[in-house]
Each structure stands twice: as C-alpha cells, then as structure tokens.
Amino acid sequence: MRLPSLTSLALSASLILSANILPAFVLHAAEPGEWDQFLGSNRNAISTAKGLNLDWKEKKPKEVWKAPIGAGFSSIACVGDRLFTMVNRDKRDWAVCLDAANGKDVWAVDLDPVYRDKQGQGPGPRATPTYDNGRVYCLHPMGDLFCLNAKDGSEVWKVNIFDESKAKNPVGATFYWGLAASPLIEGDLVIVQPGGDKDNAVLALNKENGKPAWSAGSASGGYYGSPIAIDTVGRRMIVTATGSTLIGLDPKKGTELWSHEFGNRVKCNCASPVWVDNLLFYSAAYGAGAVALEIVKDGDKVTVKEKWRNKNLGAQFATSVVYEGYIYGCNGDLGRCTLRCLDLKTGEIAWEESKPGKCSLIAAEGRLFCMGENGTLWLLEANPKKYVVKGEMEDLLTYKTWAAPALAKKRLYVRDEKNLICLDVSKD
C-alpha cells in the first residue's frame, strides 16, 4: 500500500511504528454515541452525548491536537479509537484512518488522481466514509466506490458506480462539483447516487461484494445530498433528493413508492432530507426554499402531501438541524447568508441572525455547534425564541471550512482544506 507522496521518509517510518503500537482495532457494529457516518448514526446531525461543556464563555474547549491531513470536504466518521475521512494530498486523493488520540495516520489508501471541479471550488473528495461492522465505504467524486477493511485499509472490493449504473458522469460540466453523497448502509446493501435519468438515479449494491442489486429513479442529478432510511406507514423506505425531486424507494427491490417535485434552476439539491416527528423536511438554495411533507398510506399505495412550502429557508449545502420542533439552518447561496430558526409545524420564521454566516451545524444537549466557512466555531443555544451565543472560537480554521463537524466521545472534530482539529468539549 503506497503512502501519500507528500510524506517524508521519517513520517513514513513514524506511521509504520504507530500502526504497530496501536491496540488492535476490534471489528464491531457502531455503538451508541459513535459517529459512524455522515451527520452521525441517525443522519440527523444530532448527537446523544451528555456531560458537554455548554458555556464556552466560562471555559473554552481545549484543543487536543491539530493534524495537517490535507485538502477536501469529507467529514469524519468516528468509531472506537479510529477516525475515517478522505483527503487530497498532492496529486492523489486518499482514504485515511487516523488515531483518535493524536490525529496521526494509522493507514492511508491511494484512491484516485485528485478530483477538481470546473469552477475550482477546491480539490479532493466530497463524500464522507461510512463505517459498517469492520468495513469502511468510501466514494470518490469520479464514481469509484471502495470497500476497505477498517483494520488495515486493505481493499475488499471496488466498483465504479457510473459504470455499474450506466449513468453519465457529468465531469467537466460547469455546474457540477463531483459525487458528494455519502454511502448509506441499509441491511445487506450499500446505497449510492450516480444521478442518472433512466431508472439509475439511485443504485444499490451488495455490501459484501459490490454486485448490483437494483437501480431506480429517472430524475437526473442528486449527486450531493445523502440518502436516509426511515420507518413510516408500516414500512421501511429510502428517501433521497435527485436534482429535481424528492423520492421514496423500497430498500429491498428499489421500487419507487412516491415522488415529489422539488428543485431549482440548476438541479442542485445539496442538503440531505431530515425525518422527524412524522414529517419529512427538505431545503435547497437557488430559489427552491423549503418544504415539509407528510407521508401517508392510500390503500396499497404510499403518497406524500405538502404540509407547507415556502421560501423561508434555502440551504445551499449544509443540512439543517431539526431539534425539539424547530428547524435551524443556514439560508442563502451566492450572496448574504444568515442563520434562521423556523417552526417545523408551520414553516414560519422564529428568528434570523447574520452571524455566523454560511455554516455547517450539528446539535447536542440543547446546543448548536456551528462551523462557519471562514473558520470561526460558534456555540449557540438551540433556542426557538431568540439567538443566544454561548461562546465562539475565532479563526480556529480558515476559508473554506465546509465539512460538517463530527462529535464522538465528547470530542468535536472540525476541518478545513488543510487541517483537522480535535477539541475536548466535555464538561469536566
């Protein structure tokens, strides 16, 4: 296995040594409180952690370590004493496993040549690795899906989802930024989104060997927001966004259960759906706005009904947090961005604040951890009545800090295009 080209011989030696002295990684299913995939175990950007530091004005979180991991927009999956992410180093893109204690590489796997979108938003991977029972599933922006052994990074299998689905790879198009939807594990399947328009917008593969199980959906796009799995109206379903619709699929056969038109002029639905309190919430920028859908059973069929739809929140790429009946999300795209709080039941705006600007956010223990794109980290109350700041860490990172934060074992992980920082956010 080839190490990143930017590492020196001395660093290579230290990596080998660290791998030898680390305790053996025990293969297991993710445990409660672990952050094993994009936006956490439930893909809702909410952590169940308790005993956190809830007032940074009294005590700032301690920086445990800072590691120069490389460029990219991939967030962090945290399982046991390991962290998994994807990065760009020099002219190659990599899947890396880090020691949670110090941020040092445990292993690194060379995936593909560096991905760069035509607009030049930034090099490197976009999707976040998904951990499942000792394996890590990593999707490169060019469509290569890797199943790796979490212990040592050895390849279990590899397929290209464009080749398998026969969907067109839009690489080079002006308004295309590479595959960013993080793989979803559902039973024996791994669900990905090649974004085709001929029953191949969504693709399911056998997670053990990568062989295709089904493909579905004929609305092109949907490369960015990650799919979720929900239970409602007496059945399991996959819910995801294509470039112009929200769709619900049967996870075993891929049968389309329902479809609802929702999108914008550039077919760019980038956030992930959120399922809470028997409502499906979704938001997109570039004029789309927000919608709350009820999923209902109509005889043998499943249909959706709009509870409300408006322009009160337009999420460009960061998935909103829905917490205790209220939506907290970043509104705006190419111009001014604000943080807004909306009532989930009505869609009405409860409050709006110019700070922290464009941000990604997660929630835990009544607080919002908001990572601003300019590198400032904010701690806010999840308060539907008013905007309340409980602390901030200015210039913690640099522009563009677009990756979503991750929280596990009372440690918060944030990254920009150069570094990954681990913060101790415990109360004690």
Side-chain angles (χ1 to χ4, degrees):
M1 191 176 302
R2 188 157 53 88
L3 287 171
S5 59
L6 60 72
T7 56
S8 65
L9 182 60
L11 179 57
S12 298
S14 69
L15 295 183
I16 295 171
L17 178 60
S18 66
N20 288 334
I21 63 176
L22 275 174
F25 182 72
V26 179
L27 305 183
H28 66 289
E31 299 173 353
E34 293 187 315
W35 200 269
D36 59 334
Q37 59 183 317
F38 181 60
L39 300 181
S41 295
N42 295 316
R43 291 206 167 190
N44 61 1
I46 298 176
S47 169
T48 57
K50 303 293 182 182
L52 302 178
N53 178 0
L54 302 179
D55 192 344
W56 294 357
K57 294 179 180 179
E58 292 187 2
K59 184 183 78 169
K60 292 278 188 182
K62 177 184 177 182
E63 183 177 298
V64 181
W65 49 259
K66 182 176 183 178
I69 62 171
F73 302 112
S74 177
S75 186
I76 312 298
C78 318
V79 179
D81 59 3
R82 303 281 179 95
L83 310 176
F84 305 96
T85 190
M86 294 191 289
V87 302
N88 162 243
R89 294 176 177 177
D90 196 14
K91 297 181 180 180
R92 307 291 297 182
D93 288 341
W94 299 77
V96 296
C97 172
L98 308 170
D99 182 352
N102 52 34
K104 293 182 178 180
D105 284 29
V106 176
W107 51 255
V109 176
D110 184 342
L111 301 180
D112 282 305
V114 58
Y115 174 81
R116 297 180 187 272
D117 63 274
K118 189 172 182 178
Q119 287 189 0
Q121 294 293 347
R126 277 82 165 118
T128 300
T130 299
Y131 174 90
D132 177 68
N133 201 29
R135 292 181 175 178
V136 183
Y137 297 82
C138 303
L139 180 62
H140 187 262
M142 287 294 287
D144 285 336
L145 176 65
F146 296 81
C147 175
L148 306 176
N149 188 311
K151 182 178 181 179
D152 57 14
S154 58
E155 184 179 302
V156 180
W157 54 260
K158 168 190 171 183
V159 300
N160 185 281
I161 70 170
F162 289 120
D163 293 342
E164 293 293 336
S165 66
K166 303 299 186 290
K168 180 182 177 182
N169 184 347
V171 63
T174 301
F175 297 110
Y176 177 66
W177 299 276
L179 291 173
S182 302
L184 171 70
I185 301 298
E186 172 62 20
D188 295 330
L189 302 175
V190 52
I191 312 295
V192 288
Q193 297 179 197
D197 58 3
K198 297 177 181 178
D199 289 324
N200 52 2
V202 182
L203 175 68
L205 304 163
N206 185 299
K207 71 177 184 180
E208 297 298 325
N209 53 33
K211 294 186 181 300
W214 54 256
S215 63
S218 297
S220 62
Y223 320 95
Y224 312 113
S226 300
I228 62 173
I230 68 172
D231 292 296
T232 186
V233 295
R235 66 185 307 159
R236 186 79 164 168
M237 66 180 70
I238 304 296
V239 176
T240 192
T242 70
S244 57
T245 61
L246 296 167
I247 57 175
L249 304 171
D250 178 89
K252 294 183 178 180
K253 298 180 180 180
T255 307
E256 187 172 289
L257 303 175
W258 57 265
S259 176
H260 192 77
E261 183 178 345
F262 188 87
N264 47 47
R265 63 186 183 276
V266 291
K267 294 187 177 181
C268 189
N269 288 335
C270 300
S272 298
V274 181
W275 174 252
V276 61
D277 295 339
N278 290 317
L279 284 178
L280 182 68
F281 169 76
Y282 194 74
S283 177
Y286 310 110
V291 65
L293 301 176
E294 293 180 298
I295 301 176
V296 297
K297 193 171 182 180
D298 184 9
D300 294 333
K301 297 181 179 180
V302 178
T303 62
V304 292
K305 297 180 180 179
E306 288 190 2
K307 184 167 185 180
W308 55 261
R309 182 170 182 161
N310 58 40
K311 299 294 180 68
N312 288 345
L313 183 65
Q316 186 181 27
F317 61 82
T319 301
S320 301
V321 172
V322 183
Y323 193 83
E324 296 184 347
Y326 286 84
I327 304 159
Y328 301 89
C330 183
N331 174 71
D333 38 63
L334 303 180
R336 176 173 176 261
C337 289
T338 61
L339 186 66
R340 289 185 176 181
C341 173
L342 273 62
D343 187 324
L344 176 62
K345 291 183 179 179
T346 65
E348 295 302 311
I349 299 174
W351 54 256
E352 178 181 23
E353 176 61 41
S354 59
K355 294 181 180 180
K358 187 178 292 185
C359 65
S360 297
L361 60 164
I362 62 174
E365 210 171 6
R367 295 291 185 266
L368 301 173
F369 298 84
C370 301
M371 190 68 246
E373 69 169 351
N374 289 321
T376 296
L377 177 64
W378 302 75
L379 181 68
L380 310 176
E381 282 188 5
N383 187 332
K385 295 182 179 180
K386 58 182 179 179
Y387 174 80
V388 180
V389 178
K390 303 301 292 186
E392 63 182 279
M393 300 180 73
E394 290 186 296
D395 302 321
L396 184 67
L397 292 166
T398 60
Y399 181 83
K400 301 169 179 172
T401 303
W402 283 359
L407 177 61
K409 297 184 177 180
K410 301 181 185 179
R411 289 190 172 186
L412 184 71
Y413 300 93
V414 291
R415 69 170 290 190
D416 57 14
E417 294 184 281
K418 296 180 181 178
N419 298 298
L420 172 64
I421 292 179
C422 171
L423 299 171
D424 183 350
V425 291
S426 64
K427 184 176 181 180
D428 300 325

